[in-house]
């Protein structure tokens, strides 16, 4: 077994463990964070079904961002859509046989790599060109965007400049899943791409990218606007009231 295979096998085991444990921990914290106030952003749904529909629009078409800023919405939506298609396309490296819908994405893949990078560059550009956005941007924002652009650019380089052996690459990742390690191609572009992906997995649980699961726990989005019809009592508040009542 080559040193490259050993290093990257251990790196992806570590990155996967950090990603899964870190995100699970954050979701647990989000779920247990008190929501003492009824603060849905208006106009808000007055039924639970309406909240579900609102959340569906929020995570698929970024409804609130569309209303706030059309250019930011365009760059953000293009990036997320292209990223989603790319993630589905990458399932071919982990499944055998390949799921039926993955080959259907081949026509879209021609555009998604470029669309992902273009969307990121648009989001990055606004942090330099828009005064109020530049004021609140810090180093971590720029580093995260640079990391994502690097992942997209290195992926495009493997597709158009320095092709790699995707059969061996698939064997490597399938081997990681079954603890039957297979040689990893030592192509420089591939190693750069994998290093950046592993870095993203490691920093994801402590980055602003946690808005991905966090949006589902946002009280401004997941609460029903029925404060006039029903008194809002947070879980911890109800426990305190019950304790006081039991004590006399």
């Amino acid at each position: 077994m080559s040193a490259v295979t050993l290093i990257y096998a251990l790196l992806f085991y570590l990155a996967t463990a950090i990603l899964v444990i870190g995100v699970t921990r954050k979701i647990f914290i989000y779920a247990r964070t008190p929501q003492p106030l009824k603060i849905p952003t208006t106009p808000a749904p007055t039924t639970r079904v309406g909240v579900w529909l609102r959340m569906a629009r929020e995570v698929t078409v970024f409804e609130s961002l569309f209303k706030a800023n059309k250019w930011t919405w365009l760059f953000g939506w293009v990036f997320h859509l292209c990223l989603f298609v790319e993630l589905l396309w990458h399932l071919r490296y982990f499944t055998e046989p390949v799921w039926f819908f993955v080959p259907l994405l081949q026509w879209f893949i021609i555009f998604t790599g470029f669309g992902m990078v273009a969307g990121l560059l648009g989001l990055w550009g606004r942090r330099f060109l828009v005064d109020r956005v530049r004021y609140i941007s810090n180093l971590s924002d720029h580093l995260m965007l640079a990391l994502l652009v690097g992942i997209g650019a290195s992926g495009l380089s493997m597709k158009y400049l320095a092709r790699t052996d995707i059969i061996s690459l698939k064997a490597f990742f399938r081997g990681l899943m079954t603890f039957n390690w297979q040689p990893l191609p030592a192509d420089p572009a591939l190693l750069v791409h994998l290093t950046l992906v592993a870095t993203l997995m490691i920093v994801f649980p402590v980055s602003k990218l946690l808005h991905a699961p966090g949006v589902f726990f946002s009280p401004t989005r997941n609460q029903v606007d029925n404060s006039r019809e029903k008194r809002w009592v947070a879980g911890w508040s109800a426990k305190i009231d019950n304790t006081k009542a039991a004590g006399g």
Side-chain angles (χ1 to χ4, degrees):
M1 181 185 302
S2 68
V4 170
T5 299
L6 176 62
I7 291 172
Y8 278 85
L10 296 177
L11 175 61
F12 272 95
Y13 283 136
L14 175 64
T16 302
I18 292 175
L19 177 66
V20 173
I21 295 173
V23 172
T24 301
R25 174 179 173 272
K26 282 292 187 180
I27 290 176
F28 180 76
I29 293 173
Y30 292 155
R32 290 180 59 84
T33 299
Q35 298 180 11
L37 301 175
K38 194 74 162 179
I39 54 172
T41 301
T42 57
T46 57
T47 65
R48 180 55 58 183
V49 173
V51 170
W52 293 341
L53 293 175
R54 182 188 204 182
M55 291 300 300
R57 295 193 302 270
E58 195 66 35
V59 301
T60 55
V61 297
F62 304 173
E63 181 181 44
S64 61
L65 184 59
F66 179 80
K67 294 177 180 178
N69 187 293
K70 299 299 189 292
W71 280 109
T72 303
W73 171 84
L74 177 62
F75 292 130
W77 191 77
V78 167
F79 160 64
H80 284 87
L81 177 64
C82 293
L83 175 62
F84 178 68
V85 175
E86 285 286 341
L87 290 175
L88 292 179
W89 179 249
H90 279 64
L91 287 175
R92 62 184 180 144
Y93 296 113
F94 303 92
T95 56
E96 187 60 47
V98 175
W99 292 353
F100 73 95
F101 62 85
V102 174
L104 301 178
L105 301 174
Q106 188 163 4
W107 186 84
F108 297 97
I109 293 300
I110 299 174
F111 308 100
T112 52
F114 292 104
M116 176 179 165
V117 174
L120 285 168
L121 292 176
L123 293 173
W124 200 357
R126 64 188 280 272
R127 293 195 175 273
F128 292 100
L129 300 176
V130 180
D131 291 341
R132 58 186 176 82
V133 179
R134 183 172 65 248
Y135 180 77
I136 63 174
S137 299
N138 54 38
L139 181 60
S140 65
D141 296 318
H142 294 286
L143 290 177
M144 190 57 61
L145 285 166
L147 177 60
L148 291 170
V149 170
I151 291 173
S154 59
L156 287 172
S157 70
M158 287 191 298
K159 186 174 183 179
Y160 295 104
L161 300 178
R163 294 183 177 273
T164 190
D165 185 351
I166 61 172
I167 296 178
S168 297
L169 180 60
K170 179 171 182 174
F172 171 76
F173 279 107
R174 294 277 297 170
L176 291 184
M177 296 168 61
T178 59
F179 298 98
N180 180 24
W181 295 358
Q182 301 297 319
L184 174 68
D187 303 329
L190 172 63
L191 298 184
V192 169
H193 186 68
L194 294 182
T195 300
L196 294 176
V197 170
T199 302
L200 177 62
M201 295 169 66
I202 291 171
V203 302
F204 187 92
V206 294
S207 72
K208 292 182 179 179
L209 298 179
L210 277 171
H211 66 263
V215 66
F216 295 99
F217 299 93
S218 171
T220 62
R221 294 288 179 267
N222 64 17
Q223 291 184 346
V224 179
D225 188 12
N226 59 355
S227 57
R228 293 183 181 273
E229 294 79 12
K230 184 177 180 181
R231 179 171 177 260
W232 171 257
V233 180
W236 60 269
S237 179
K239 292 179 181 178
I240 293 175
D241 291 342
N242 292 336
T243 301
K244 289 181 178 179

